[in-house]
Amino acid sequence: MKKLNIGIVGAGRIGKVHAASITYHIPGAQIVRVTDVYEPAAKALAEAYGVPAYGTDYMDIVNDPTIDAVLVCSPTPTHADISIAAMKAGKHVFCEKPVDLTIEKIKLTAQVAAETGRKLQIGFNRRFDHNHGKVQKLAADGTLGNIELIKITSRDPEPPSPEYAASSGGLYIDMMIHDFDMAMFLAGCDVKEVYAMGTSLVDPRIGEAGDVDTAIVTLTFENGALGVIDNSRRTAYGYDQRVEVFGSLGMAAGENDGDSTVRVSTAAGVVSDKPQHFFLERYMASFVEEMKQFIAAINEDKDVPVGIHAGLMSVVLAKAAKKSLDEHRPVKITEILEA
Amino acid sequence: MKKLNIGIVGAGRIGKVHAASITYHIPGAQIVRVTDVYEPAAKALAEAYGVPAYGTDYMDIVNDPTIDAVLVCSPTPTHADISIAAMKAGKHVFCEKPVDLTIEKIKLTAQVAAETGRKLQIGFNRRFDHNHGKVQKLAADGTLGNIELIKITSRDPEPPSPEYAASSGGLYIDMMIHDFDMAMFLAGCDVKEVYAMGTSLVDPRIGEAGDVDTAIVTLTFENGALGVIDNSRRTAYGYDQRVEVFGSLGMAAGENDGDSTVRVSTAAGVVSDKPQHFFLERYMASFVEEMKQFIAAINEDKDVPVGIHAGLMSVVLAKAAKKSLDEHRPVKITEILEA
Amino acid sequence: MKKLNIGIVGAGRIGKVHAASITYHIPGAQIVRVTDVYEPAAKALAEAYGVPAYGTDYMDIVNDPTIDAVLVCSPTPTHADISIAAMKAGKHVFCEKPVDLTIEKIKLTAQVAAETGRKLQIGFNRRFDHNHGKVQKLAADGTLGNIELIKITSRDPEPPSPEYAASSGGLYIDMMIHDFDMAMFLAGCDVKEVYAMGTSLVDPRIGEAGDVDTAIVTLTFENGALGVIDNSRRTAYGYDQRVEVFGSLGMAAGENDGDSTVRVSTAAGVVSDKPQHFFLERYMASFVEEMKQFIAAINEDKDVPVGIHAGLMSVVLAKAAKKSLDEHRPVKITEILEA
Amino acid sequence: MKKLNIGIVGAGRIGKVHAASITYHIPGAQIVRVTDVYEPAAKALAEAYGVPAYGTDYMDIVNDPTIDAVLVCSPTPTHADISIAAMKAGKHVFCEKPVDLTIEKIKLTAQVAAETGRKLQIGFNRRFDHNHGKVQKLAADGTLGNIELIKITSRDPEPPSPEYAASSGGLYIDMMIHDFDMAMFLAGCDVKEVYAMGTSLVDPRIGEAGDVDTAIVTLTFENGALGVIDNSRRTAYGYDQRVEVFGSLGMAAGENDGDSTVRVSTAAGVVSDKPQHFFLERYMASFVEEMKQFIAAINEDKDVPVGIHAGLMSVVLAKAAKKSLDEHRPVKITEILEA
C-alpha cells in the first residue's frame, strides 16, 4: 500500500507528539516535510524522526505536490490561514485547537473545507481517551437512558506563568475549550446557554492579568440536559480529568488514571497512585488514536471523527463564557453565534 | 446520673428515628411523652418505645414541668411556633429542618433562643455522617489548604408524587436545603451569591406542578471559593450522596456507601454494590450521632453543633435559588436576607 | 410477646458484647442473670445492662427455672461442661468457640444436644458478616458456578503477649479456628486434608514459647476444591479480613471495611482509610446478627445457623494443622477425627 | 549512534512481540535477520517489520558477523543449544523461558555465559510490569519492612487444549514458572522448599492427560518468609494477575488492569471493567521494557536485569513442585538442585 505523505507545520511540543504517532504507530503514513518559523526546531524534529526535508516556510508544504495531508501545529493565530491554504492546494488538514480566536475565521475555514471537499479534522484528542470515550459510548448507545446531567472536572497540575495566562486568551479558551468540546461530545448535541463563574485563587497575578484560574461554568444543552464544568489551573496531586454522565437509566463515571493499581497499606493509611502528572502522560494514547483515525478517514474516504463544527462551537462556548463572566449573567449561544 | 426527660412532638417517620436513637443509643436520656395530632401515631410510637404518656396536644409537652428538652418533628409550618413555645417554657429544643418557610419566623425563633438562653439545635443530620464529616474535618483542619472548590452531588432514588412536589415548597427548599447546609458546613463560611438552573426531566408532571426535578446550583462563598450542587429526584442505582472539597493542598472526596465491599467478577464485568437505597439506610448513624450531641450539649452546657444560623441560612439559600431560577440571573444572598 | 429469659455465664469482653446485643437490638429477649467467677465483673455487667441478678456460680443459671437460654462466654475449658449442664436442665445454649480443646468433649456435647433436643449454637460470628456472608451467598446460590479455589486472609493488628500465645493453645486453634470455619462455610462442605506452614517472624518470643505468629495453611475440601488461609499476628495497618471464592463462573471477593469511603488526594498520593482496627469494630454487626438468629431459632423452633458440627470440625482442622506443622507433612482429617 | 544489530530465532507469537518492540520502541537497535524452521513464518515477520534477511537455519544468525545480539524465541527444547552457539560466536543472547527442561542444560548454558562473558537475559517479562514492579520496589526499598508473606494469583482466561497440556511439561513448568520467578523477584531471595497441590477441575481431560489445571503451591523462602501461589487455567472474567507482599511495616498489593477506569451504575449494580483479556494485552508494556533493558545492558555494558540464575531457579521450583505433587510431601529445593 502506498503510504500517505504528511507535512507538519510547527515543530513544537504537539508537532512532535504527532510526529511520534505517525512514525511509530501508523504504518500507512510517513512524514516527508516539516516546517517551523524557528529553523532549529524544524531541524530537530526532522532528525529525530527521519524526516527528509525541513524548513521555515509552511508554503513549502502547501506547494509540495507529493504531500497528501498537513498537520497544522503552529501557533493559534496562524491555524486558519494555513489550513485554508493547504485545503485550497488540495491537501487534507488536521488542525490543532482552537481553530481561531474569531468566529469569522472559523466559519471561513469551514466554508473552504466545504468548497474543496478536503478532510478537515480538529485536534480534540480527549474524545479518543479510553475513559471519556467509554462514557460517551454508554451515553450514545442508550445504556444510560435519557441524558440529564453531565459533569466534567478538569484541573491542571501546575499554573501557567501570569504572562502566559495574559496572552493565552484566558482560561475559557485556553483550557476549558477541551471541556466544552467534551461536554457536547458526551451530550451528543450542542449547548444553548452558559453561565460562567471565575476567580483567581491560585495565583493573584493571574487575576491581575485579567484572567481567572479557578472556574465553574454551567451549561444548558439543546436536548434539555444540564451540565457543569469545573477547572483549576493547579492541583497538589496531579492532572485531574474526570467525566460523569447521568441519565434516566444510570450513570457512567471515569476515575483518573494512575501509573499502577498498587495500593500500599501502612500505618499511614492505604495509599494509591496519584493521577498521572499531565497531558503528555495522561492522553498520549488518545493523540495516537486521533491521528490513526485521521489517516483512516483519508484512506477510506470517511468522515473525520471531529469536524469543523466542533472547532466552531468550542470557541463559541468559550466566548459566551467570557461574556457571561464579564456581564455576570447567563448568555445564550446565539448571542455569540449570530453576533 | 439523672436521665434527661425528652418530649417528642410529631410521631411520624423522623420522630420514630429519634425515638429509636434515644431508646437504644443514649443511656443519658429517656422519652417521657409523645404527641401527634393523629393520636394513633402517638400511641404507636409510645408503645413501640415504652413511652409512658402520649396525646394529641403538643402543649401537654410544653407544660410538662418534668420535661427537659423537646424534639420538634411535626410538619414544617408548626416548627417555629412549637419551638418558641417550648423555649419560653424553659425547654431545650431540637428542631427539624426547615425551621420555617419564612425568614421572619426563623429570625423570631432565633431571637427567642437568644432571650431564653435555651439550646436550639437544627436537624441537619448529614453533618454527622462518617464520610461528609471526615471531608469537613480535613477542610477545617488545614489538610486541604485554602478551600477553592466545593462539589456536592445529591440524588434521590425515587421521585415524589407530583402532588407532594407541588406542596413541598419545591426542590430547593425540600431537597437541596440539606446540600445548602452541607456546602456552608464544608466551606466553613456563608454563601454570598447563588445561580440556579432547574428543569423537569424525571417526571413532566413535576414540571407542570411548577417544580423542578433536576437542578444545578452554583455558589460563591464569602471566603471566595466557588461551589456547585447537583440534584436529581431519581436515580436508577440508589441514593447518590457524594461531596468533594478541593483546596490548594489537595482534595478530599467521599464515595457512596454500599451494603458490602464485595466485588463479583464474572463474564459480565466486575460488579460492586449499589449505593445504599435511601436516607434511612444511608444516614441512620448520623441521626443517632446528632441526637447524642444534642443531649451532650445540654448535659455539658456546650454550644449545640448546628445552631439557628444554619437553620436561617439554608432557607435563605433555597429562596435565593428559587428567585434565581424565576428571574434567570444570579441572586445575592443579601437580596433575600435583607428583604 | 413474652420475652425470652437469658442467662450469661462469663462477664468478660464477649459476654458484654452479647449483653449489649440483647439489650439494644433484640426486643424479644432480656437478660435475667449473669455469673462470673470474678464477682465484680458479674456485678459490673449487671449494672451496665440492668440485669436484675448476678453471682459467681453458673449453676445458679442452670438451676433457674425462669431462664430459657444460656450464653456460655466463660473460659474455653469450661465451655463444654457448662453447655452440657445447661442443656440437661432444659435450656438452649449459645456457646462461644472453641467448644473445647478435646475432640471427645465436643462429641459428648453434641451427643447431649441430640439427646435433649435443645438448640446449641456455636459463636462463629464471622459467618454473619456483611462481606463474608455475601460471598458465601454467591457461592451457595450458584452465581460462581462450581467452586474451585477459596482464599482467606486474616491478620490481627497486634500480636498477643508471648505468655498469652503460650497458653492459648497456639495460633491454629486460637486464631485460625475462625478461618477454618469460614473456609468450610464458604465451600459448603468439610475439609479432608490440610498442610500447615508456620513460623515466628513477628515476635521471636512467640517462637520460643512454641507457637507461630505467621502461618499459611492449605486445604483440600471434600468437594475437590482447594483452599488457602494466611494468618499473621500483626499488621502495620489494622485488622485485615478478606475472603475470596473462585469458581467456574466467576469470583467474589470482599475488601476490608474502613471507617469512611473518603479518599484524600495530596502531593503524597491518594489516601484511603485503613481497615477498621480490630474485631470489636469490624465485626460488631455480626455479633448482633448471630444473637438475633439464635433468639429467632428458639422462638420459631428452627435449626440454629451454626451447629455443633461446625464446632467440632473447626477444632479438628486446628489439630490437624498443628500435627501437619509438627510432622512436616499433609495430614488427613480422618487422622484426627478417628483417632 | 550505531544501531545494535539483532537476529531473531523463531518467528512465532513471542518473536513478533519482540520484533515490534525493537522496531517501534527502541531506536538504538534494528533487526537484521530472522529465522524460523517454518519459512513462511520467517518471511512474514521479515516483511511486517522490514527485516532485510530471513531463512530457516538459525546458524545463519550465529554465523552472521554483523549481528550483535540474538533473541531466542524458538521452541523450548532448542533454547539452550541456540543460546550456547550464539554466545560461543560472540553474541549477546536474550533467551525465552524456560531455558530448558533439564537442570543440566541450564547449568551448561550458565557456564558458557560465564566463560564467554556474553550478556544472557532470560525472558521473565512480568518483572517489568508497572504493578508487579512497583510492589517489588516497595519490598526492596524497605517500605514494607521485613518481608513475611508473599501471595501471587495467576489465572489464565482460557484453558489450553488437553493435547497442549499433555505436551507442555505440565502446569508447573508451563504456567506457574512465571509465578515462581515472580515470587523470588518479590522476596529478593531464593526459595528453599515447596509444597504443591494440584487438581483438574477445569477440564477433566487435562487430568486424564496427567496434568493439573487448578493448583496451589506454598513456598518457604531462604529469608524465612512464607509464600503461596494459586493458578487456574480458566477464569470467567479475564486474565487475573495479582501480587501481594506483606511485611512488618505494611503491605503492597496490585489489582488487575482494566481497559478503562469507568464505573457504570445502573439498577444492576456498579460495574467496572473486567481484567484485560490475556497476556498480550496485559503485559505488552513489560515486553517492550524488558527488551529496552536488554539493549541498554549491552550498550552500557551493565548486568542484565534477569540473569541465568533466575532461569535456573524457576525450573528447579517447577520440578520441585511436580515432585511434591507426585510424592504428596514438601520437597526441598536441594533435592532437585543437587540431584
Side-chain angles (χ1 to χ4, degrees), chain A residues 59-132:
Chain A
M59 288 306 294
D60 292 344
I61 286 175
V62 170
N63 293 326
D64 182 338
T66 72
I67 286 180
D68 301 295
V70 180
L71 313 186
V72 181
C73 308
S74 51
T76 295
T78 69
H79 285 174
D81 289 343
I82 298 172
S83 296
I84 287 170
M87 287 189 290
K88 286 188 170 170
K91 288 151 191 12
H92 303 293
V93 169
F94 177 97
C95 179
E96 276 302 325
K97 33 66 44 190
V99 176
D100 197 78
L101 296 180
T102 71
I103 305 300
E104 296 69 25
K105 270 282 183 69
I106 302 175
K107 286 182 172 173
L108 179 61
T109 309
Q111 188 185 326
V112 173
E115 289 167 1
T116 61
R118 298 294 84 191
K119 309 290 182 197
L120 174 59
Q121 182 169 329
I122 312 305
F124 285 116
N125 62 291
R126 293 186 194 176
R127 291 191 181 206
F128 304 89
D129 180 60
H130 61 146
N131 294 335
H132 308 338

Side-chain angles (χ1 to χ4, degrees), chain D:
Chain D
M1 188 180 73
K2 177 188 167 297
K3 289 194 173 198
L4 269 189
N5 286 329
I6 307 292
I8 298 182
V9 181
R13 188 164 56 177
I14 193 66
K16 281 185 268 189
V17 166
H18 294 317
S21 294
I22 290 169
T23 306
Y24 296 129
H25 298 285
I26 306 179
Q30 61 192 352
I31 312 166
V32 297
R33 188 180 290 270
V34 58
T35 67
D36 195 291
V37 291
Y38 180 61
E39 188 169 25
K43 184 180 179 193
L45 188 151
E47 288 179 350
Y49 296 97
V51 180
Y54 67 88
T56 58
D57 186 352
Y58 75 82
M59 286 307 292
D60 292 345
I61 287 177
V62 170
N63 293 328
D64 183 337
T66 72
I67 287 180
D68 301 296
V70 180
L71 313 186
V72 181
C73 307
S74 51
T76 296
T78 69
H79 285 174
D81 289 343
I82 297 172
S83 296
I84 288 170
M87 288 190 288
K88 285 188 170 169
K91 287 147 190 18
H92 303 293
V93 169
F94 177 95
C95 179
E96 276 302 325
K97 35 64 46 190
V99 176
D100 196 80
L101 296 180
T102 70
I103 304 301
E104 295 70 26
K105 269 283 182 70
I106 303 175
K107 286 182 171 174
L108 178 61
T109 309
Q111 187 185 326
V112 173
E115 288 168 2
T116 60
R118 299 294 83 192
K119 309 289 184 197
L120 173 59
Q121 182 169 329
I122 311 306
F124 284 116
N125 62 291
R126 294 186 192 175
R127 291 190 180 206
F128 304 89
D129 180 60
H130 60 146
N131 294 335
H132 309 336
K134 179 167 180 180
V135 172
Q136 187 272 339
K137 189 170 169 300
L138 291 161
D141 72 9
T143 302
L144 304 179
N146 187 45
I147 303 307
E148 297 171 353
L149 288 168
I150 291 175
K151 296 174 68 178
I152 298 175
T153 289
S154 179
R155 301 170 188 159
D156 285 354
E158 286 159 15
S161 66
E163 296 71 35
Y164 175 87
S167 72
S168 70
L171 177 144
Y172 299 115
I173 194 132
D174 182 60
M175 178 176 176
M176 200 179 279
I177 190 169
H178 273 295
D179 307 302
F180 288 132
D181 182 64
M182 181 55 58
M184 293 183 284
F185 176 58
L186 295 172
C189 68
D190 286 347
V191 162
K192 61 181 175 193
E193 187 175 290
V194 307
Y195 175 72
M197 303 164 75
T199 181
S200 175
L201 301 174
V202 171
D203 186 341
R205 294 171 302 168
I206 289 176
E208 288 157 16
D211 197 8
V212 299
D213 53 37
T214 305
I216 292 178
V217 171
T218 58
L219 311 166
T220 309
F221 293 94
E222 290 282 358
N223 63 8
L226 306 181
V228 61
I229 297 165
D230 72 87
N231 272 190
S232 172
R233 284 286 198 181
R234 176 267 298 116
T235 76
Y237 54 86
Y239 190 40
D240 194 347
Q241 296 285 303
R242 291 172 285 157
V243 307
E244 174 180 322
V245 175
F246 171 83
S248 54
L249 298 180
M251 171 174 68
E255 283 296 311
N256 286 304
D257 285 348
D259 284 335
S260 82
T261 64
V262 175
R263 288 187 296 180
V264 188
S265 301
T266 68
V270 178
V271 184
S272 307
D273 281 7
K274 287 188 290 185
Q276 291 180 323
H277 183 63
F278 208 177
F279 72 97
L280 288 181
E281 295 86 3
R282 174 65 183 81
Y283 285 121
M284 189 49 75
S286 73
F287 287 119
V288 173
E289 185 60 26
E290 70 173 352
M291 198 50 58
K292 280 187 181 170
Q293 294 199 20
F294 174 61
I295 300 300
I298 297 170
N299 278 335
E300 303 165 26
D301 195 18
K302 297 184 303 189
D303 285 347
V304 292
V306 190
I308 187 66
H309 183 73
L312 173 65
M313 290 308 295
S314 55
V315 174
V316 168
L317 262 63
K319 287 182 174 286
K322 184 63 166 58
K323 188 179 186 72
S324 172
L325 183 76
D326 289 344
E327 302 183 4
H328 198 49
R329 64 172 181 88
V331 169
K332 289 199 189 320
I333 294 317
T334 49
E335 295 183 46
I336 306 298
L337 203 53
E338 299 166 2

Side-chain angles (χ1 to χ4, degrees), chain A residues 113-262:
Chain A
E115 289 167 1
T116 61
R118 298 294 84 191
K119 309 290 182 197
L120 174 59
Q121 182 169 329
I122 312 305
F124 285 116
N125 62 291
R126 293 186 194 176
R127 291 191 181 206
F128 304 89
D129 180 60
H130 61 146
N131 294 335
H132 308 338
K134 178 167 181 180
V135 172
Q136 186 272 340
K137 187 168 170 300
L138 291 161
D141 72 10
T143 302
L144 305 179
N146 188 44
I147 303 305
E148 297 173 352
L149 288 168
I150 291 175
K151 296 173 69 176
I152 298 175
T153 289
S154 180
R155 301 170 188 158
D156 285 354
E158 286 159 14
S161 66
E163 296 70 35
Y164 175 87
S167 72
S168 69
L171 176 143
Y172 300 116
I173 194 135
D174 182 60
M175 178 176 176
M176 202 181 278
I177 190 170
H178 274 293
D179 306 303
F180 288 133
D181 182 65
M182 181 56 58
M184 293 182 285
F185 177 58
L186 294 173
C189 68
D190 285 347
V191 163
K192 62 181 175 192
E193 188 175 290
V194 308
Y195 175 72
M197 304 164 76
T199 183
S200 175
L201 300 174
V202 172
D203 185 341
R205 296 171 302 170
I206 290 176
E208 289 157 16
D211 196 8
V212 299
D213 53 35
T214 306
I216 292 177
V217 172
T218 58
L219 311 167
T220 309
F221 294 94
E222 291 282 359
N223 63 8
L226 306 180
V228 61
I229 297 167
D230 72 88
N231 272 188
S232 171
R233 285 287 198 179
R234 176 270 296 117
T235 76
Y237 54 85
Y239 191 40
D240 195 348
Q241 296 286 302
R242 290 172 285 156
V243 307
E244 173 181 323
V245 175
F246 171 83
S248 55
L249 297 181
M251 172 174 68
E255 284 296 311
N256 286 304
D257 286 346
D259 285 334
S260 82
T261 64
V262 175

